């Protein structure tokens, strides 16, 4: 059993061992960029959730302030 690295690109299959150094370099760049893209999506999800949480906290705080002001005006 051989341990070949085969990948498919644009409908064609290639063996990594058959590629020249430039092509291997380009594959490594693509793999690295895919990993960075996934990491950035993960970070964006975290930022989006945090932003939503802070926004909801601000809304609740403003509502609480408004409720207290209304209570003072009524009483």
């Amino acid at each position: 059993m051989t341990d070949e690295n085969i990948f498919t690109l644009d409908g064609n299959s290639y063996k990594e061992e058959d590629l020249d150094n430039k092509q291997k370099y380009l594959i490594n760049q693509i793999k690295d960029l895919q990993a960075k893209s996934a990491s950035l999506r993960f970070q964006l999800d975290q930022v989006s959730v945090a932003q939503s949480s802070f926004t909801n906290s601000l809304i609740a705080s403003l509502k609480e302030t408004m409720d207290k002001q209304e209570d003072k005006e009524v009483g």
Side-chain angles (χ1 to χ4, degrees), residues 51-67:
Q51 180 181 355
S52 178
S53 177
F54 283 120
T55 300
N56 290 337
S57 293
L58 177 59
I59 290 168
S61 178
L62 292 170
K63 183 180 181 325
E64 184 179 314
T65 300
M66 294 298 290
D67 289 347

Side-chain angles (χ1 to χ4, degrees), residues 1-13:
M1 183 166 143
T2 59
D3 190 20
E4 295 178 350
N5 288 327
I6 298 175
F7 69 96
T8 302
L9 181 65
D10 203 25
N12 298 309
S13 295

